[in-house]
Amino acid sequence: MRASTRTEKIWWTVITVLVLLYALFPVASIFATSFKTPSDLTSGKFLPTNWTGQNYEQILVGSAQDLFLPALRNSIGITVIATFIAVVLATLCAYAIARLNFPGKKLILTTALAVSIFPVISIVTPLFNLWRNIGLYDTWIGLIIPYLSLTLPISIWTLAAFFRQIPWELEQAAQVDGATSWQAFRKAIVPLAAPGVFTTAIIAFFIAWNDFVYGISLTSTEAARPVPAALAFFTGASQFQSPTGAISAAAIIVTIPIVLLVLFFQRQIVSGLTQGAVKG
Amino acid sequence: MASITLQNLVKKYGDGFPAVNDVSIDIDDGEFIILVGPSGCGKSTLLRMIVGLEDITEGELLIDGERVNDKAPRDRNLAMVFQNYALYPHLTVYENIAFPLRLAKGKHSEEETNKRVQAAAATLELTEHLERKPANLSGGQRQRVAMGRAIVRQADAFLFDEPLSNLDAKLRGQMRSEISQMQRRLGVTSVYVTHDQTEAMTLGDRVAVLKKGILQQIASPRELYEEPTNIFVAGFIGSPSMNFIPGQVENGKLQTVLGELEIPQHKLDKAEGKKIVMVGIRPEFFEDAKLVDEAKKPLGATFTTRLTHTEWLGNEQYGYMDFDPAPEVRDLLNSLAKDLDADELKPQIVVTLDSASRIRAGRDAELWVDTRKVHLFDPETGNSLTRDPEAGAALTQEAIQDRQDEIEAARSEANASGQQAS
Ligand SMILES: Nc1ncnc2c1ncn2[C@@H]1O[C@H](COP(=O)(O)OP(=O)(O)OP(=O)(O)O)[C@@H](O)[C@H]1O
Ligand SMILES: [Mg+2]
């Protein structure tokens, strides 16, 4: 590797700043909006003239609380359960795909891919009818199942690719070193597989957390309605006021878990952890 | 410390292909056995069967007289260095080496673990890398970590699968003598797989030569070199390889492409009844006729030839000459080449000459060959006709005696220094 020159460094900095601006400007804008008073919304300025917490008050303890808090609870519960199931199933499936040779291995992978290329919008109407008939409409399970169809394929693919890279000989090395089969798995394989599982979990969580179409179509009350759908039901204090400020505040709040999740697991998602185990 | 007995071991993989076929070896307590053979001949498979990672299809494996066919690897108490290192990438070098000690919970105090890891690291020159991760090490360093993990334990036997293959020549020489001394000091039974001629010849008490899963010969390096049982072993052991040229016995002499060779009568007798024999002559049996002692000259044969080219290496030089083999031996030579892992064997004779020799390519040169040492092989079976089993057995017996003396000496030395210390 050669050291990069000064001009190169400057260019990289410029590009990085541009990309960051492009990606973060909307977030910053929503953040600013969430602190604006309703009258301030149309002021055309980026920053609020008066910083106010009234939007947060409104959704957390005020008039919109009945809409937002149950939705937040639904979102967290449904997403966590869906992610958990997806990761467990995908781990087992990917393990089999990576380690065993069985007929139909290809079929599983292609089916998973085929499932994920169906546009959500084309399934949602039949699903709506079916769910109403069998009583899954407006329930947690009624959302968890479609979320699994979104998260499972990508989880299986990511994990299978990840597991294929694990040097499974390490298990044998550990056994020769005096480990039982279980110890060998836990001490030599799990530490290498964990980052892949965490990465997959985060991806699955994002997908379920951000879903809007299923959330709005398959729910009708606060029994199961997740946040992205609930935002659509926000109203202003009067019908002439737009609820933009409250929606922004809610958007900021639902972003927090994602940021926390990434920060928390960042150390786990280190790539290249399997390097150096075996030759070549 | 343990003896290991392999009785008619067979390994068939799923496709029914026998990777190891009917191999029997008695490994004595404290013995250093080398496994050699071309790539894919089943060396790693055999090692993995001994350590317990590969099921034994047929045959018996005994450690200290006890059948261990069905024992898990951890119950066999053997240490192994894998061909591809198999290091734990999430652990530091220190923890990699300490791994086997940590698994034996409660057996080793923290202090003792540390002492042992430091000692192993010092032996392998890894002390300054102890806190690094395997990913940041060079191939040679990784290989040494893998060695460290094996020697840190008090295993009953060491199994090495080409442990030095990634080191540079200097480090390899250093590690080779390190392994050799360590093995003698600990007196621990060792099985060592290698491709390297030097390692095979210098490290082992006995060397087992495998070909396509079948044991060809197991004997001391000297016996292999001087009394090979067949053309494969003769060609595999020694570098550069033995030359094989066709020969015919006619009125008490051997007619070859080198001309008429007069060889000892007892060797000629063995070739009786064969229309054609393969004559095996090691490169070092040749010499520049000008440099041979007059007293020695009549013991061999002198002939004139032209070398196609020569290579001067400082301590000696190699000369090459081509010859045109008869069609009936060409097939044999080709199949031998395939067995030996080479591409088509060039019908070429390699000779080793003294570095002082002035013989140059393209000019007529007079060479001398020591005909007392030539080997004769049956071209159909490849078996040696001139092998003297008794002389061979005597050579191997010598090596066994040497080993016992060396281990004895190492032990009494260790005792002496131990008494001094206490
Ligand atoms: N898991 C396996 N399944 C099927 N065949 C195998 C398997 N492992 C090895 N073999 C076959 O067994 C034979 C012996 O392989 P092995 O790895 O023991 O060779 P080797 O002597 O160690 O070679 P090298 O010097 O290249 O390491 C080869 O022909 C190989 O194709
Ligand atoms: Mg091998």
Side-chain angles (χ1 to χ4, degrees):
Chain A
M1 283 255 288
R2 81 206 155 87
S4 45
T5 60
R6 257 183 77 90
T7 38
E8 242 175 290
K9 267 193 193 141
I10 291 173
W11 271 111
W12 276 115
T13 318
V14 170
I15 293 171
T16 313
V17 167
L18 281 179
V19 171
L20 275 180
L21 274 182
Y22 177 78
L24 289 183
F25 179 77
V27 182
S29 168
I30 292 174
F31 184 76
T33 310
S34 74
F35 287 101
K36 284 179 182 171
T37 56
S39 54
D40 208 8
L41 285 175
T42 49
S43 67
K45 291 201 201 99
F46 183 74
L47 289 177
T49 21
N50 291 320
W51 289 77
T52 166
Q54 79 177 66
N55 292 319
Y56 288 92
E57 238 167 69
Q58 189 192 340
I59 60 169
L60 291 177
V61 292
S63 59
Q65 113 175 260
D66 293 339
L67 202 54
F68 183 68
L69 290 184
L72 194 60
R73 207 185 53 227
N74 290 337
S75 259
I76 292 175
I78 292 171
T79 308
V80 166
I81 294 174
T83 305
F84 180 77
I85 297 177
V87 169
V88 170
L89 289 183
T91 305
L92 298 176
C93 180
Y95 181 85
I97 286 170
R99 290 216 63 188
L100 309 177
N101 254 326
F102 55 90
K105 194 159 131 176
K106 265 252 164 68
L107 190 74
I108 292 184
L109 284 174
T110 25
T111 313
L113 196 64
V115 167
S116 63
I117 57 174
F118 265 106
V120 167
I121 204 77
S122 68
I123 312 175
V124 78
T125 317
L127 212 54
F128 172 81
N129 288 327
L130 181 67
W131 267 200
R132 286 187 75 102
N133 286 335
I134 62 176
L136 284 182
Y137 183 71
D138 203 23
T139 62
W140 277 24
I141 300 178
L143 278 185
I144 289 174
I145 293 173
Y147 284 0
L148 284 180
S149 80
L150 292 180
T151 53
L152 258 182
I154 184 143
S155 302
I156 291 175
W157 274 83
T158 335
L159 273 177
F162 199 89
F163 283 176
R164 281 211 186 99
Q165 286 178 0
I166 290 185
W168 294 97
E169 300 97 308
L170 292 187
E171 221 174 21
Q172 302 185 331
Q175 281 176 9
V176 174
D177 283 343
T180 59
S181 314
W182 169 242
Q183 276 179 321
F185 184 72
R186 192 166 52 88
K187 297 202 167 181
I189 299 300
V190 171
L192 302 183
V197 176
F198 283 125
T199 312
T200 312
I202 289 180
I203 295 173
F205 189 90
F206 285 173
I207 292 175
W209 187 256
N210 289 334
D211 165 75
F212 175 74
V213 177
Y214 285 131
I216 196 121
S217 322
L218 300 179
T219 61
S220 58
T221 66
E222 66 202 27
R225 186 183 291 139
V227 173
L231 294 186
F233 291 90
F234 276 23
T235 50
S238 74
Q239 63 171 334
F240 303 110
Q241 254 178 19
S242 78
T244 315
I247 291 179
S248 302
I252 291 297
I253 288 182
V254 294
T255 312
I256 291 172
I258 303 239
V259 174
L260 285 184
L261 202 67
V262 171
L263 286 183
F264 187 66
F265 284 126
Q266 201 180 26
R267 289 172 54 89
Q268 309 289 338
I269 325 178
V270 251
S271 61
L273 199 65
T274 54
Q275 268 172 26
V278 294
K279 184 154 65 188
Chain B
M1 313 304 111
S3 64
I4 302 174
T5 311
L6 323 184
Q7 287 175 356
N8 309 94
L9 285 189
V10 177
K11 173 72 198 180
K12 288 195 177 121
Y13 281 109
D15 49 5
F17 172 79
V20 170
N21 202 349
D22 201 21
V23 170
S24 301
I25 305 178
D26 269 315
I27 305 171
D28 252 358
D29 182 15
E31 196 175 9
F32 203 139
I33 293 278
I34 307 276
L35 298 179
V36 293
S39 187
C41 70
K43 306 181 294 288
S44 298
T45 306
L46 191 58
L47 216 55
R48 293 165 55 82
M49 285 163 85
I50 298 176
V51 83
L53 293 174
E54 217 68 78
D55 290 336
I56 294 170
T57 314
E58 270 168 51
E60 306 275 305
L61 177 66
L62 313 177
I63 296 181
D64 269 341
E66 191 193 344
R67 185 175 185 275
V68 295
N69 281 37
D70 305 317
K71 274 198 179 177
R74 65 191 295 259
D75 299 321
R76 302 192 188 187
N77 194 27
L78 308 173
M80 175 157 169
V81 180
F82 286 80
Q83 187 166 9
N84 56 4
Y85 329 134
L87 302 180
Y88 310 114
H90 56 292
L91 300 177
T92 60
V93 169
Y94 183 98
E95 285 303 324
N96 259 287
I97 298 178
F99 192 84
L101 302 178
R102 301 237 191 269
L103 278 173
K105 267 206 197 82
K107 253 207 202 142
H108 310 282
S109 65
E110 190 54 42
E111 195 185 338
E112 196 195 338
T113 305
N114 188 38
K115 212 175 84 198
R116 287 230 220 150
V117 174
Q118 295 291 355
T123 310
L124 299 162
E125 297 185 17
L126 284 170
T127 310
E128 66 241 59
H129 306 298
L130 280 176
E131 293 315 315
R132 299 173 73 190
K133 291 274 177 70
N136 305 327
L137 300 179
S138 73
Q141 289 166 337
R142 287 181 203 171
Q143 210 152 34
R144 282 180 280 154
V145 178
M147 287 274 293
R149 206 172 57 192
I151 65 175
V152 79
R153 295 167 54 189
Q154 277 167 337
D156 284 344
F158 288 158
L159 308 174
F160 301 96
D161 199 346
E162 306 198 23
L164 307 183
S165 56
N166 280 292
L167 306 188
D168 63 41
K170 181 165 155 283
L171 200 52
R172 188 184 297 196
Q174 206 176 320
M175 295 286 296
R176 194 172 62 221
S177 61
E178 197 61 59
I179 292 177
S180 164
Q181 284 169 28
M182 183 186 72
Q183 198 270 343
R184 288 304 193 230
R185 198 170 57 233
L186 304 175
V188 60
T189 316
S190 303
V191 185
Y192 189 107
V193 170
T194 183
H195 264 115
D196 187 285
Q197 288 277 342
T198 326
E199 281 171 33
M201 299 306 260
T202 58
L203 282 176
D205 298 313
R206 283 191 296 160
V207 179
V209 184
L210 289 170
K211 171 187 150 191
K212 294 181 185 160
I214 298 171
L215 181 64
Q216 304 291 307
Q217 187 175 9
I218 172 160
S220 73
R222 283 195 60 177
E223 182 179 350
L224 286 185
Y225 183 82
E226 292 181 12
E227 303 285 347
T229 56
N230 61 28
I231 207 164
F232 175 82
V233 175
F236 194 80
I237 299 291
S239 163
S241 302
M242 189 186 274
N243 301 297
F244 299 106
I245 52 177
Q248 273 159 303
V249 185
E250 263 167 40
N251 41 28
K253 294 198 172 142
L254 203 55
Q255 303 293 337
T256 69
V257 289
L258 298 176
E260 211 172 61
L261 297 183
E262 211 169 322
I263 71 165
Q265 191 57 41
H266 68 274
K267 291 201 175 181
L268 268 188
D269 291 346
K270 304 268 180 55
E272 218 176 57
K274 304 265 185 259
K275 206 168 124 259
I276 210 166
V277 290
M278 288 306 279
V279 186
I281 313 177
R282 292 200 182 276
E284 47 273 36
F285 296 174
F286 292 93
E287 191 47 87
D288 182 351
K290 284 209 191 75
L291 302 174
V292 180
D293 225 32
E294 280 308 325
K296 215 171 142 193
K297 235 176 194 169
L299 298 174
T302 309
F303 60 94
T304 308
T305 185
R306 252 168 214 247
L307 300 183
T308 52
H309 66 289
T310 59
E311 289 170 351
W312 189 80
L313 300 171
N315 59 335
E316 59 187 5
Q317 51 186 327
Y318 297 151
Y320 299 85
M321 52 188 150
D322 294 334
F323 71 99
D324 198 17
E328 58 262 47
V329 289
R330 173 163 271 164
D331 286 346
L332 180 74
L333 286 177
N334 282 341
S335 79
L336 180 67
K338 221 174 271 151
D339 287 347
L340 288 174
D341 236 7
D343 306 322
E344 197 168 334
L345 194 67
K346 265 216 211 138
Q348 191 177 50
I349 295 172
V350 185
V351 302
T352 312
L353 304 173
D354 194 287
S355 60
S357 163
R358 306 295 304 161
I359 291 180
R360 288 294 165 265
R363 276 179 256 155
D364 275 347
E366 211 174 36
L367 293 181
W368 175 84
V369 55
D370 190 342
T371 50
R372 290 169 302 173
K373 294 182 177 166
V374 298
H375 301 262
L376 299 182
F377 298 95
D378 185 332
E380 266 126 51
T381 60
N383 288 337
S384 172
L385 298 167
T386 47
R387 174 177 144 83
D388 180 350
E390 273 150 42
L395 288 173
T396 296
Q397 203 49 48
E398 253 171 48
I400 292 173
Q401 194 54 49
D402 285 352
R403 178 188 95 232
Q404 278 158 357
D405 293 348
E406 276 171 42
I407 291 181
E408 202 61 44
R411 284 202 180 137
S412 64
E413 198 176 305
N415 278 344
S417 64
Q419 269 159 12
Q420 261 172 13
S422 60

